[in-house]
Amino acid sequence: KKEDIIKYQDTDSYVGDTQVVTDKGTFDAESLWFEYQSPDQVVTTFGHDIQKVSNLSVMAYDKESDKIKFRSVKNLIRHKVSKGKYKINVGNKSITMTEDHGCMIFRDGEMLRVSAKDIKKGDKVMIRK
């Protein structure tokens, strides 16, 4: 069934202190992991910790409706990375993520999804107010 599909790629990550807005409140990513930690956790051969969650939604951009809204989460995944990291600063807010983490930006009047390493000075980055 469509709702049983796990969408997962090990290409983009953010660090443990990144703020995640959920329908249960705002957590840093590491605290969110421990809030939902369960004995059903699975460790993959790549060293990724995966735990199923239910009744949790996170704020995300929905391309179809062109709106920010809460989207259901099925799994939380935790892993260590050795990729380059970028700190993106917008006003008084910042976020640190891996070089290939996807970001929604506006460039030349067009909305694009680009990797953190491809953000250019002058791009407008979609952030939470």
Side-chain angles (χ1 to χ4, degrees):
K1 294 190 281 187
K2 183 177 180 182
E3 57 271 9
D4 292 334
I5 296 172
I6 297 173
K7 295 180 182 176
Y8 171 67
Q9 283 181 278
D10 182 22
T11 60
D12 48 354
S13 304
Y14 46 77
V15 296
D17 64 354
T18 299
Q19 298 292 293
V20 180
V21 180
T22 77
D23 59 335
K24 310 287 190 264
T26 301
F27 297 83
D28 61 60
E30 186 173 13
S31 295
L32 185 63
W33 173 266
F34 288 111
E35 180 75 20
Y36 285 89
Q37 194 166 16
S38 73
D40 299 330
Q41 182 177 320
V42 174
V43 179
T44 69
T45 56
F46 296 107
H48 294 66
D49 299 326
I50 301 175
Q51 57 188 5
K52 290 186 178 191
V53 295
S54 60
N55 200 23
L56 176 67
S57 295
V58 298
M59 190 176 285
Y61 174 71
D62 179 51
K63 189 174 181 177
E64 288 181 21
S65 66
D66 192 31
K67 295 187 189 272
I68 304 292
K69 64 183 191 178
F70 285 102
R71 308 277 310 253
S72 179
V73 174
K74 304 283 187 220
N75 297 286
L76 296 176
I77 302 168
R78 178 177 72 168
H79 61 104
K80 295 184 187 242
V81 296
S82 57
K83 302 177 204 177
K85 295 179 185 75
Y86 281 71
K87 184 173 186 177
I88 309 298
N89 297 300
V90 178
N92 64 348
K93 297 182 183 216
S94 68
I95 185 169
T96 303
M97 62 189 82
T98 56
E99 61 192 7
D100 52 0
H101 188 90
C103 302
M104 299 305 294
I105 65 153
F106 294 90
R107 181 184 294 157
D108 300 325
E110 186 178 354
M111 184 165 45
L112 306 167
R113 183 180 189 277
V114 299
S115 296
K117 66 180 179 189
D118 296 323
I119 294 174
K120 298 177 181 176
K121 188 173 184 171
D123 285 342
K124 298 191 182 335
V125 180
M126 187 178 292
I127 62 165
R128 178 176 67 113
K129 289 184 177 183

